[in-house]
Amino acid sequence: MTDDTTPRTAPEMSWFAWGDPARARELDPGLRGLIAQVLRARLTERPPVPEESVELAPSALTGPARAALTAVVGEEHLRTDDAARLRHAGGKSTPDLLLRRSGAADPAPDAVLYPADHDEVQRLLEVCSAERIAVVPFGGGTSVVGGLTPLRGRFDSVIALDLRRLDRLLSLDATSMTAVLGAGVRGPAAEALLAEHGLMLGHLPQSHEYATIGGYAATRSSGQASSGYGRFEDMVVSLRAATPRGTLEAGGAPASAAGPDLRRLLLGSEGTLGVITEVGVRVRPVPETVLDEAWSFPDFATGVDALRALAQSDTRPTMARILDESETFVGAALGGREAQAGCQAVLGFEGTGAEVATRSAVVREVLSRAGGTPLGAEPVAHWRENRFSSPYLRDTLLSAGVLAETLETAASWTDLLPLYSAVTGALTGALEGEEGGAVVMCHVSHTYPTGASLYFTVATAAGEDPLARWEGAKRAASDAIVANGGTITHHHAVGTDHRPWMAAEIGPLGAEVLRAVKAALDPEGVLNPGKLIPDARD
């Protein structure tokens, strides 16, 4: 079913930055000066320490535990060297990188294991439960909310369970238009494997180059084409997961009334209830036509209303997002283009030639009535060209002394603009001071008939203590989100960062339900401790 020449791996991610080290970017001195002027701050270079200067605590994995784990995966697939442990010492949020760049890599896992298939994952979890070893499932390593931090909890040791070897297209049903993929298949490899059959998944989050199919499911990921294809959870037809108690299989039928949908327990579970090993997904033909269009609106509120009209209509583009005034201006400046007043929207259409022509004509009429002005395809081409490079720029700015980070939420259309103002104000208020100011940008990237997401990007001087500076701003923004009708996370997931606000989001009874499910599937509590599920004291 698979072609062994199809690339299934990507270059190893940098230990202190996002992505492929060969693609790291240099900051133009003129741009650095402009950024310092805009942020009203003196920027101090913050290069990472050499890798050999990073000190890791010795592995706490005992001899008997190591022997039991090695019996499952083999000696060559269990690593305790510093290089492997360092590269599994968390995700890729700015706080994660600040710690690693400073030479702090504690906590780090005591070992990294690479199982080959579902059965090996199952046996490893049974060993870890018996030996009381905490387990952190590890896919592409792209978490930005502390979801991969190797917390030991009440256990003496913790392992990272790297799923990269679960990298196959396991089955394809071209008649039913479904496929089953191993949890370790990365986004580009999934598309390549399906493209051999004229099919695609069409899920493209910004983490696409490194994120995995299992990670998409475990975090309820949302991609840039969500307006047309839905979120990843909308694509999932079945799931298979290993738990310390055994295998849990959910879904498979096109629809069912056989009680609550157990897929929903696993979707978004972030490795706390089980390790997702196989994902059945809906697939679709590779589109014969792709059409991109950019639009300009006089202000963010007008653009948001236009996207609401589309989301509540019977005809939607495949992709639709609107940038606020700040993000529109900054995007033009970074791209060397003349900034236009107002806000820019980028739209994309995919399908047959006839489908695209019909849908785009209807959408143009809606957007024109809503006050939009067409700009052609060029701005969208620029956006697509730079879509996956923004995290590299984030790391370049960090080396130059600029703190750049993102956060996201979603709310009803009624609450959306008040929430936008509240979060913008909270971030600005938390970061304005003696160390300089902040630029807060936002865009709407995912729309629904009832509401939409808000995705904020913040840039500010790192200052003397960048970690404390960002944590204060994130806390202020999170409090503003909860107080103004937003969800604590739309697609980044919960991890450790958002866990303090989970009890407020789901209520005390909801938290009790999650704890009960975890107790049933993971009675020793070894699966990803300290993530997602509110503590009884929260």
Side-chain angles (χ1 to χ4, degrees):
M1 184 62 70
T2 60
D3 179 350
D4 287 339
T5 66
T6 300
R8 296 193 181 97
T9 60
E12 188 84 52
M13 279 235 252
S14 168
W15 65 270
F16 66 86
W18 174 268
D20 180 0
R23 292 175 58 188
R25 300 172 59 172
E26 296 290 332
L27 189 63
D28 179 85
L31 181 58
R32 186 181 189 279
L34 177 61
I35 292 171
Q37 181 180 352
V38 170
L39 297 180
R40 308 190 310 279
R42 171 179 287 182
L43 303 182
T44 303
E45 296 285 339
R46 307 185 70 91
V49 302
E51 182 173 355
E52 56 270 21
S53 298
V54 181
E55 295 186 7
L56 279 69
S59 172
L61 195 65
T62 66
R66 177 172 183 141
L69 295 170
T70 301
V72 177
V73 297
E75 188 68 41
E76 69 274 26
H77 297 305
L78 187 155
R79 292 178 59 179
T80 55
D81 57 282
D82 285 357
R85 294 172 62 208
L86 176 59
R87 283 160 178 79
H88 291 79
K92 295 297 181 180
S93 70
T94 293
D96 288 333
L97 300 184
L98 283 169
L99 289 171
R100 251 167 273 157
R101 293 165 71 96
S102 71
D106 189 30
D110 296 296
V112 182
L113 281 79
Y114 304 87
D117 54 27
H118 173 89
D119 291 342
E120 286 194 1
V121 174
Q122 180 65 60
R123 289 161 57 201
L124 287 173
L125 294 188
E126 292 167 0
V127 170
C128 288
S129 187
E131 298 287 339
R132 294 181 55 77
I133 302 168
V135 180
V136 180
F138 197 100
T142 63
S143 172
V144 292
V145 293
L148 299 175
T149 304
L151 301 177
R152 287 170 173 77
R154 61 182 183 273
F155 307 105
D156 293 332
S157 58
V158 57
I159 65 165
L161 196 63
D162 191 312
L163 303 174
R164 68 180 63 190
R165 295 175 66 206
L166 280 68
D167 64 349
R168 297 294 188 267
L169 173 60
L170 300 171
S171 66
L172 176 67
D173 182 344
T175 301
S176 303
M177 298 292 280
T178 61
V180 178
L181 292 156
V185 178
R186 297 189 188 228
E191 297 297 353
L193 290 166
L194 293 170
E196 295 171 11
H197 306 276
L199 301 170
M200 72 170 195
L201 183 59
H203 186 71
L204 294 170
Q206 192 169 52
S207 59
H208 166 73
E209 293 174 311
Y210 281 87
T212 60
I213 294 296
Y216 291 160
T219 60
R220 295 174 71 183
S221 172
S222 194
Q224 68 188 39
S226 63
S227 294
Y229 300 151
R231 294 161 61 92
F232 189 71
E233 64 197 75
D234 301 320
M235 304 175 182
V236 174
V237 297
S238 65
L239 289 167
R240 191 181 194 203
T243 83
R245 294 279 310 280
T247 296
L248 181 63
E249 302 196 53
S256 173
D261 187 349
L262 295 182
R263 288 175 302 176
R264 298 292 169 176
L265 281 178
L266 296 172
L267 289 165
S269 60
E270 301 183 32
T272 63
L273 304 180
V275 178
I276 295 170
T277 58
E278 299 173 12
V279 184
V281 292
R282 291 187 295 107
V283 295
R284 64 192 72 246
V286 173
E288 67 179 44
T289 299
V290 176
L291 173 67
D292 289 335
E293 294 182 343
W295 286 73
S296 176
F297 293 90
D299 53 60
F300 192 49
T302 303
V304 166
D305 275 346
L307 261 61
R308 177 176 62 82
L310 288 180
Q312 294 175 343
S313 73
D314 293 329
T315 303
R316 305 183 187 98
T318 308
M319 174 189 73
R321 55 180 58 204
I322 177 78
L323 288 59
D324 73 358
E325 290 89 344
S326 295
E327 191 161 336
T328 298
F329 178 84
V330 169
L334 291 176
R337 307 187 313 278
E338 182 180 351
Q340 302 289 326
C343 298
Q344 181 176 287
V346 291
L347 279 72
F349 302 85
E350 298 179 7
T352 67
E355 290 170 344
V356 167
T358 300
R359 287 164 53 212
S360 62
V362 173
V363 168
R364 287 187 199 110
E365 184 178 346
V366 172
L367 297 184
S368 295
R369 286 200 309 266
T373 302
L375 300 176
E378 191 278 331
V380 189
H382 175 80
W383 177 82
R384 287 190 185 275
E385 181 182 346
N386 293 279
R387 166 71 171 144
F388 301 117
S389 63
S390 295
Y392 292 96
L393 177 59
R394 183 270 308 259
D395 298 337
T396 300
L397 291 172
L398 198 57
S399 293
V402 178
L403 189 64
E405 186 57 299
T406 62
L407 60 91
E408 40 73 55
T409 181
S412 68
W413 291 111
T414 298
D415 291 336
L416 197 70
L417 289 176
L419 177 62
Y420 164 74
S421 297
V423 175
T424 300
L427 289 167
T428 302
L431 293 170
E432 289 281 355
E434 294 181 0
E435 294 183 297
V439 173
V440 179
M441 301 167 278
C442 184
H443 64 259
V444 169
S445 51
H446 308 282
T447 60
Y448 311 92
T450 58
S453 67
L454 291 172
Y455 193 99
F456 293 88
T457 301
V458 185
T460 189
E464 292 297 319
D465 190 345
L467 187 57
R469 187 162 163 76
W470 174 248
E471 286 177 345
K474 179 66 181 284
R475 187 165 50 250
S478 298
D479 287 342
I481 286 170
V482 172
N484 288 273
T487 176
I488 195 60
T489 176
H490 171 262
H491 61 271
H492 279 174
V494 177
T496 57
D497 291 11
H498 298 138
R499 187 169 177 249
W501 291 270
M502 269 295 284
E505 174 119 353
I506 65 176
L509 184 56
E512 187 177 334
V513 169
L514 285 183
R515 290 193 293 269
V517 173
K518 183 169 179 66
L521 296 174
D522 179 24
E524 296 298 327
V526 298
L527 288 172
N528 218 3
K531 319 292 170 50
L532 175 66
I533 300 173
D535 188 271
R537 296 164 295 181
D538 289 350

